[in-house]
Amino acid sequence: MSVTVIVGTQWGDEGKGKITDLLAREMDMVVRYQGGNNAGHTVVIKEEKFILHLIPSGIFYPKVTCVIGNGVVVDPAVLLQEIKTLQGKGFNCENLKISAQAHVIFPYHRDLDLAQEKNREAGRIGTTARGIGPCYVDKFNRRGIRIGDFFHEDIFRQKLEWNLAEKSFLLNNFYDYKVSYDADKIQKEYFEYFRAFQSLVIEESTSLINEAISKNKKILMEGAQGTMLDVDQGTYPYVTSSNPIAGGACIGAGFGPQEIDEVIGVVKAYVTRVGGGPFPTEISGEIGDLLRERGGEYGATTGRPRRCGWFDGVVLRHAAKINGLTQLAITKIDVLDALETIEICTAYECEGKVIEDFPTDLAKLEKCRPIYEDLPGWKEDLSKITDYRNLPLNAKKYIDRLAELAEAKVSLISVGAERGQVIRL
Ligand code: IMP
């Protein structure tokens, strides 16, 4: 077996891009299996920062086949821009393959995303406004347009017209969000994008992936967002519209669950969340600001400041259970270097009871208060350490505690954004 899945164990932004990039050099294939350009995976190579929204983070290695799987939703303008940017930096992207079954984001999806958020008043999700949710809605409602539809212009046109009529009516009349779409213009624009990357589109992405599995090739499934943003297992409705969890890889790439060998949970040493929704260990004030500034906690996609909080062991336990984590990759531990004392939430107190399992009922979750354990900080610069033995004792104790909470072994510790700033165990 040769399939490894990388998943975020929190609300996204755990540093999956860097971990994927690190592991990708040993891989034959990297596959994105869900989400779209709501993601922003950051990879720093020789002080140059790349933010990938759609293309798998293995693209920097020409020998690695990178697949945008059927479970991804693709905004063709964003994809083309990303390809061009990478080509401009010397990465030719010929190793990129795009599934014909991936769904396409249209302007009406972005408009619906904005209109629906405006309409929600209280309880806004705080989406990335990229049209992700409405595109998945069309997919599940069987109204979606897929990349493969570009091969059949008449079918494409029929689907486009139907969607434009439906969405114009909804936006203008229900949401009072004025739009006027021109089918010819949209078709022309979208076919121009498509023709520019047509040579990378493959009809049988699942065959390609399964063939690689049967040849025992090393394959990395790169999840976007995180477990707590999963539409089924996260803090619904404050979630994204796909399944970032490990099981989502089977659906969004098209292979059997028995093929998964390892599931690596990417665990940021503290927690952040961007957008609305519950966040039990959120901290405001000085320490929250310190984490945000030291960790550069601003959205890679939207630039929004991220909400910051102490490490939440209840969330990690939930992620370990839902994903079947076999390894942990701890990121951004260096951000905690400045702290005298570090708190870890190990359970919640809810109406006089101590609970260790993440509550699925949002009303109950809102009543939960974190129970913290204090751990002494290390007050030392970790950013240049590459050997586990050189870590200060208190940093080792912190790492051990996270592993204990997840009941999984730690295989990687990242101490900075650069490729080389990593400790392998
Ligand atoms: P959407 O995915 O744009 O529909 O947004 C739904 C929720 O998921 C919002 O709270 C977003 O801020 C959050 N979200 C979506 N993608 C990411 C991500 O890559 N990192 C962190 N949060 C995300």
Side-chain angles (χ1 to χ4, degrees), residues 11-13 38-40 125-129 132-133 225 229 239-240 274-275 304:
W11 282 277
D13 308 318
N38 47 352
I125 292 167
T127 72
T128 58
I132 308 294
Q225 290 82 45
L229 287 173
V239 292
T240 191
V274 57
R304 290 180 288 178

Side-chain angles (χ1 to χ4, degrees), residues 20-80:
T20 307
D21 170 67
L22 271 176
L23 300 178
R25 79 180 73 168
E26 295 147 24
M27 296 289 153
D28 299 299
M29 185 181 273
V30 179
V31 185
R32 261 287 298 271
Y33 58 85
Q34 47 69 234
N37 58 311
N38 47 352
H41 292 175
T42 308
V43 178
V44 181
I45 307 169
K46 293 193 186 118
E47 288 178 14
E48 185 161 13
K49 190 168 164 180
F50 295 86
I51 299 176
L52 300 168
H53 298 288
L54 275 166
I55 297 179
S57 309
I59 198 70
F60 304 105
Y61 304 96
K63 71 157 187 76
V64 178
T65 304
C66 289
V67 184
I68 294 181
N70 59 271
V72 176
V73 288
V74 176
D75 186 323
V78 174
L79 176 60
L80 191 57

Side-chain angles (χ1 to χ4, degrees), residues 65-130:
T65 304
C66 289
V67 184
I68 294 181
N70 59 271
V72 176
V73 288
V74 176
D75 186 323
V78 174
L79 176 60
L80 191 57
Q81 187 52 52
E82 210 161 293
I83 293 172
K84 282 186 179 162
T85 305
L86 285 167
Q87 285 173 339
K89 304 273 181 192
F91 302 98
N92 67 21
C93 292
E94 275 162 23
N95 49 335
L96 178 66
K97 309 282 170 223
I98 305 153
S99 168
Q101 288 162 281
H103 280 248
V104 181
I105 297 178
F106 284 88
Y108 50 79
H109 291 131
R110 287 191 297 272
D111 289 337
L112 275 167
D113 205 346
L114 288 167
Q116 285 168 350
E117 276 288 84
K118 196 162 155 255
N119 184 258
R120 273 184 198 110
E121 305 266 333
R124 273 186 196 143
I125 292 167
T127 72
T128 58
R130 302 298 191 261

